[in-house]
Amino acid sequence: MAITSANQLELLQTAEAVAREKMIDPGLVVEAMEESLARAAKSRYGSEMDIRVKIDRKTGRATFTRVRTVVEDEDLENYQAEMTVEQARQYMAEPKVGDTYVEEVPPVEMGRIAAQSAKQVILQKVREAERDRQYDEFKDRVGTIINGQVKREEYGNVIVDVGTGEAILRRNEKIGREAYRPNDRIRCYIKDVRRETRGPQIFLSRTAPEFMAELFKMEVPEIYDGIIEIKAVARDPGSRAKIGVVSYDNSIDPVGACVGMRGSRVQAVVNELQGEKIDIIPWSEDLPTFLVNALQPAEVSKVVLDEDAERIEVVVPDEQLSLAIGRRGQNVRLASQLTGLDIDIMTEAEESERRQKEFEERTKLFMDTLDLDEFFAQLLVSEGFTNLEEVAYVEQDELLVIDGVDEGTAEELQARARDYLEAQAKAALDHARELGVEDSLIDFEGLTPQMVEALAEDGVKTLEDFATCADWELAGGWTTVDGERVKDEGLLEKFDMSLDEAQHLIMTARVSLGWVDPADLVSEEEETDGEDDASEEEIGA
């Protein structure tokens, strides 16, 4: 095919038609044509030549030019596209390195292969332009709901026509065993929009918790207006869900507003989610209160929260256990997702048994270590004493409130407790020295002999060893592995050491060794205090 006056205007008409059909800039199509013509010309004149094509946007005339760049003598590599300053003098008056010499060359005849290649280049450019336009159009719509039409299903994934492009609903993002046929209408949540070299860029979901939140926003005007806020959502897609809501207007009940007149609002969401049962729960800043609400319809007798471990113990009546756990653990799992806490559920009987076991263990501890009879040891436990340290170092008045305990008995009790603790400390210290612990660690303030012994048994024998430890290695912590929280046992966790205490001890050790400048620590603490103050001001505001 030769580029002649007969088909010059046809180029522009073709570009306009393709641009209108694909909803892209006609200039991009013309640029693709220029590139394809240049590629065809290179195959005719030589691939090493720098051939460029320019199509006039008004007449459609294609101008073929050969470009040569002036380079230093030693840099001359490609004779077809480069020339030295000396060679350029025959074409240019005062050539300098970097100048270009442009000369027009005759248009080329495009054979069948060249025409096919040109077509591929144009199609590729058009596809790239389409993808860019689609990305620009949808990148700001992530987190919203879109209506589309099912085009086809591929290996369980649904390809959805979203008007100006295609999106994909992966099979793991579908609810239960949803099945769609071509031309079915579908409503989805735009989960992600990414630039991809090929294939759909828009990823949809119907299982995301945010999908339910957005559906409620569409059905409940108070949520859209910001009077009611959705604080948390947990879903078992297609089966059951829990949603925590709070109202910023005391006159509006958040649960009632979301349920609607005769359940009309929540029913609209349930219908869209294939009959998924939804528990609407009043949200509370107090975590135990929120958890009691989240475990509905089960009744809760008692809640014990461990904020450091992000765990919570829930005690329920014996007959409520199966209801609290739910079918296949569903109820407690959703409540855990909703609150962000690990939940241990036990019956009142189990808790009573555990309390009895603890009572017996503490009673035996006092009997064995303080040489007391069972009745007297039980009195101590009943008054709230849990360990020897409390007995040894508590104010004597707290022992005198126990029936039958006078000053002489209290002094004797404390003396026995202190003697036993001192003997334990000496034994621990002797064992630590046998393991090779240096005095630098033994004399370090903040560590008891038992702590030093525990560190030595794990190979921490010098202050330098201690200073290289991480806070979680000492105090313990939690790690998420495959979606489940796993406990990391700390070397000093059994001594009730917190992460803050561990961090303080480690930094103190580093300062004493000269690894850290104390001034840096002070400035860090001031910055932290400043951030805390700012946070408090924001909350107050």
Side-chain angles (χ1 to χ4, degrees):
M1 179 182 75
I3 304 299
T4 63
S5 56
N7 58 16
Q8 286 173 359
L9 284 174
E10 190 180 330
L11 279 177
L12 293 181
Q13 291 168 355
T14 303
E16 287 283 351
V18 172
R20 274 198 306 273
E21 182 187 345
K22 302 295 184 181
M23 296 176 65
I24 57 176
D25 182 7
L28 292 172
V29 183
V30 174
E31 286 175 15
M33 289 178 169
E34 289 172 342
E35 185 179 327
S36 63
L37 290 172
R39 189 173 293 187
K42 280 184 181 181
S43 66
R44 169 69 176 82
Y45 289 113
S47 59
E48 292 185 347
M49 284 192 183
D50 185 1
I51 303 289
R52 302 178 190 180
V53 177
K54 188 72 177 174
I55 296 176
D56 190 296
R57 300 301 198 267
K58 292 181 180 178
T59 65
R61 181 176 182 273
T63 305
F64 290 71
T65 56
R66 176 189 180 189
V67 180
R68 282 186 282 180
T69 306
V70 180
V71 297
E72 297 281 2
D73 291 5
E74 61 271 17
D75 294 334
L76 183 63
E77 292 180 356
N78 183 355
Y79 292 92
Q80 300 289 355
E82 297 170 344
M83 56 184 173
T84 64
V85 174
E86 190 62 39
Q87 290 170 337
R89 292 191 196 283
Q90 57 184 310
Y91 306 108
M92 308 164 70
E94 295 180 2
K96 300 188 295 295
V97 173
D99 287 350
T100 56
Y101 176 67
V102 181
E103 59 180 331
E104 190 169 341
V105 296
V108 297
E109 292 276 342
M110 289 184 71
R112 183 176 56 81
I113 295 175
Q116 189 66 26
S117 174
K119 181 181 178 183
Q120 290 300 324
V121 171
I122 294 171
L123 288 175
Q124 179 63 27
K125 284 285 184 182
V126 168
R127 277 196 293 268
E128 288 174 6
E130 265 192 293
R131 279 197 286 270
D132 288 340
R133 177 196 53 73
Q134 191 173 327
Y135 176 79
D136 292 336
E137 181 180 341
F138 285 95
K139 66 181 179 181
D140 297 324
R141 295 180 65 182
V142 173
T144 63
I145 287 178
I146 191 169
N147 290 308
Q149 191 172 23
V150 174
K151 289 190 74 173
R152 62 187 181 279
E153 193 164 350
E154 297 176 351
Y155 307 106
N157 303 324
V158 178
I159 308 302
V160 181
D161 184 348
V162 289
T164 54
E166 289 184 353
I168 184 168
L169 176 66
R170 297 190 186 279
R171 60 181 165 190
N172 61 324
E173 298 289 350
K174 294 192 295 185
I175 297 173
R177 297 182 178 179
E178 282 183 329
Y180 295 99
R181 290 173 297 185
N183 300 322
D184 281 354
R185 301 298 299 176
I186 187 171
R187 185 186 287 181
C188 298
Y189 175 79
I190 301 178
K191 191 173 185 180
D192 194 14
V193 178
R194 294 199 298 261
R195 287 190 184 275
E196 300 260 329
T197 53
R198 63 173 183 231
Q201 297 171 300
I202 305 162
F203 298 91
L204 306 177
S205 174
R206 284 175 56 80
T207 61
E210 297 87 355
F211 181 46
M212 175 180 286
E214 287 297 311
L215 287 173
F216 269 105
K217 190 183 291 185
M218 293 169 66
E219 295 294 337
V220 184
E222 290 86 350
I223 296 177
Y224 183 82
D225 294 337
I227 300 170
I228 294 174
E229 183 184 354
I230 297 173
K231 300 292 285 188
V233 181
R235 290 183 65 192
D236 192 348
S239 177
R240 192 169 177 187
K242 291 179 183 287
I243 181 167
V245 292
V246 63
S247 173
Y248 296 112
D249 186 335
N250 293 333
S251 64
I252 295 177
D253 171 27
V255 175
C258 291
V259 171
M261 187 72 71
R262 296 182 181 175
S264 58
R265 291 175 174 177
V266 72
Q267 194 56 47
V269 178
V270 168
N271 292 340
E272 178 62 43
L273 298 177
Q274 306 295 318
E276 193 169 314
K277 294 182 178 66
I278 302 173
D279 296 335
I280 302 172
I281 295 155
W283 183 83
S284 172
E285 287 186 1
D286 182 52
L287 268 177
T289 303
F290 183 39
L291 180 67
V292 170
N293 295 337
L295 280 171
Q296 292 176 0
E299 297 174 8
V300 176
S301 304
K302 188 168 68 174
V303 171
V304 181
L305 174 64
D306 182 353
E307 291 187 11
D308 290 336
E310 293 187 358
R311 293 185 71 83
I312 198 160
E313 286 183 356
V314 177
V315 181
V316 298
D318 294 23
E319 69 277 6
Q320 293 280 315
L321 181 63
S322 60
L323 193 60
I325 294 173
R327 183 167 54 90
R328 297 179 184 171
Q330 186 183 64
N331 194 50
V332 69
R333 184 172 66 251
L334 290 175
S336 178
Q337 290 175 19
L338 204 66
T339 57
L341 296 167
D342 282 346
I343 302 171
D344 289 333
I345 291 186
M346 62 179 70
T347 63
E348 290 175 347
E350 288 171 338
E351 197 226 2
S352 175
E353 185 181 329
R354 190 186 67 174
R355 282 175 158 281
Q356 183 62 32
K357 186 178 179 183
E358 288 176 357
F359 186 86
E360 291 171 358
E361 286 174 352
R362 289 169 185 168
T363 299
K364 189 174 188 308
L365 169 70
F366 291 142
M367 289 171 63
D368 293 345
T369 57
L370 301 180
D371 193 22
L372 302 175
D373 61 31
E374 185 177 6
F375 177 73
F376 206 102
Q378 287 176 347
L379 277 178
L380 279 178
V381 177
S382 299
E383 287 296 327
F385 290 94
T386 60
N387 55 54
L388 289 174
E389 286 81 0
E390 291 178 1
V391 176
Y393 303 112
V394 77
E395 291 291 330
Q396 202 175 87
D397 292 345
E398 294 192 33
L399 288 170
L400 293 176
V401 299
I402 302 173
D403 288 340
V405 175
D406 54 22
E407 287 188 12
T409 308
E411 287 175 4
E412 177 63 21
L413 271 176
Q414 290 194 310
R416 289 184 187 181
R418 287 170 185 161
D419 288 346
Y420 186 86
L421 290 173
E422 286 170 9
Q424 273 193 323
K426 183 178 182 305
L429 211 53
D430 291 344
H431 184 219
R433 291 187 192 280
E434 288 174 12
L435 293 171
V437 174
E438 294 184 3
D439 288 342
S440 60
L441 188 61
I442 292 173
D443 298 335
F444 182 65
E445 188 175 351
L447 294 178
T448 65
Q450 287 90 341
M451 290 181 183
V452 173
E453 180 186 31
L455 290 170
E457 288 172 347
D458 204 76
V460 180
K461 300 179 182 180
T462 67
L463 192 60
E464 287 81 359
D465 293 340
F466 182 76
T468 58
C469 291
D471 51 8
W472 61 267
E473 289 181 280
L474 301 182
W478 293 84
T479 308
T480 302
V481 178
D482 296 332
E484 291 189 8
R485 290 173 60 76
V486 178
K487 186 74 178 73
D488 293 322
E489 296 295 337
L491 298 177
L492 305 181
E493 188 174 354
K494 62 184 177 182
F495 302 104
D496 293 330
M497 179 168 288
S498 68
L499 278 172
D500 288 340
E501 290 169 337
Q503 191 176 44
H504 175 73
L505 285 175
I506 291 166
M507 294 310 294
T508 304
R510 291 173 183 174
V511 169
S512 67
L513 290 168
W515 295 0
V516 177
D517 187 346
D520 294 339
L521 280 182
V522 173
S523 62
E524 281 181 18
E525 287 176 4
E526 287 175 352
E527 284 178 15
T528 305
D529 291 342
E531 288 173 6
D532 292 343
D533 292 341
S535 299
E536 288 174 9
E537 287 174 11
E538 287 174 11
I539 292 168

